[in-house]
Amino acid sequence: MGETQSDQDERTAKPPGGTGKSPETARRHLGRRALLIGGAAAAVGTAVLARGELARLWWRLPGVEKPRTPGAVDFRAATWVAASSANYRRADRPDDYAIDMVVIHVTQGGYESAVKAFQSPAHQAAAHYIVRRGGAVTQMIRELDVAFHAGNRSYNERSVGIEHEGFVERASSFTDAMYTSSARLTAEICRRYGISVDREHIIGHVEVPGTDHTDPGRYWDWDRYMTLVRRAHRTQA
């Protein structure tokens, strides 16, 4: 790499002492030197960040991207219904972004309205999965990809989002079949990526920093759910 102007200035600058210059002149030189050093440090930091981002994009080179089968699902019991590509970012997780979290959502509506929203480019949000009241699971985004579901870029990149059909203020939305099916799904995701089965890594949308959402709400039985996830996780192991 070639020498920068900052490198040249830093190398040729004279020390403030023993030059015969006034204290004021020396202070000006010292201040300029500190500014140059700070600017160089910032440039190095930017370069490091840029290299990190480029490292995450290597898989997009021709012949490198993992092959994808149309309609394939990550959870065997799921049915595939594709979300709009405007509602997620194509990626190659966990190679470019480690997955260490599952985020639990509630649709605040019926299944059909959630699917319609996730298929709309204007919606600008979607989760990887939807679990219906009867327990059926629909996958709309591959776990490889970054779904726009959490309202926080970092959490989107590191998590899998699971929607549940219903309303946060209706306890009847959360059925036995839904809890059981969702727990199996979450347990398999945790097993696949080595995620700890605890409330630090399996969280509600309301717990994502910066969000204004309240789901899954007060009627979501976390104790029951986590018991089912742990049981399913042990069975799958």
Side-chain angles (χ1 to χ4, degrees), residues 14-181:
K14 297 183 183 296
T19 63
K21 295 179 181 178
S22 69
E24 181 61 30
T25 301
R27 280 196 295 271
R28 284 200 300 270
H29 275 279
L30 184 60
R32 182 169 179 269
R33 183 179 184 184
L35 180 62
L36 290 171
I37 293 173
V44 170
T46 301
V48 169
L49 289 174
R51 285 199 298 273
E53 191 63 28
L54 287 173
R56 291 192 176 115
L57 298 177
W58 68 271
W59 60 271
R60 293 192 180 185
L61 296 173
V64 175
E65 183 177 2
K66 292 177 182 175
R68 301 187 184 208
T69 303
V73 295
D74 297 299
F75 182 60
R76 291 185 299 275
T79 300
W80 176 258
V81 178
S84 168
S85 59
N87 296 330
Y88 66 90
R89 185 167 83 249
R90 202 167 172 89
D92 192 27
R93 303 190 310 168
D95 288 346
D96 49 1
Y97 299 102
I99 300 174
D100 65 357
M101 191 168 290
V102 175
V103 180
I104 302 299
H105 303 262
V106 174
T107 61
Q108 285 299 90
Y111 169 77
E112 289 79 10
S113 64
V115 169
K116 183 177 180 180
F118 292 172
Q119 290 183 323
S120 169
H123 190 62
Q124 296 294 297
H128 295 90
Y129 294 96
I130 303 175
V131 181
R132 304 183 69 172
R133 294 183 75 254
V137 178
T138 298
Q139 183 169 6
M140 300 194 69
I141 299 171
R142 291 293 305 276
E143 291 174 13
L144 288 165
D145 297 324
V146 176
F148 303 153
H149 67 97
N152 178 307
R153 177 168 179 161
S154 174
Y155 277 66
N156 285 340
E157 291 170 345
R158 65 188 289 196
S159 68
V160 173
I162 305 176
E163 289 278 1
H164 296 80
E165 178 185 16
F167 298 85
V168 296
E169 291 299 327
R170 294 183 190 174
S172 60
S173 293
F174 310 129
T175 66
D176 293 344
M178 175 184 283
Y179 276 122
T180 300
S181 182

Side-chain angles (χ1 to χ4, degrees), residues 104 131-135 164 170-186 216-229 232:
I104 302 299
V131 181
R132 304 183 69 172
R133 294 183 75 254
H164 296 80
R170 294 183 190 174
S172 60
S173 293
F174 310 129
T175 66
D176 293 344
M178 175 184 283
Y179 276 122
T180 300
S181 182
S182 177
R184 289 173 180 162
L185 170 58
T186 294
R218 58 178 174 161
Y219 292 115
W220 180 263
D221 191 336
W222 277 109
D223 290 339
R224 177 184 182 184
Y225 186 66
M226 293 304 297
T227 296
L228 291 170
V229 174

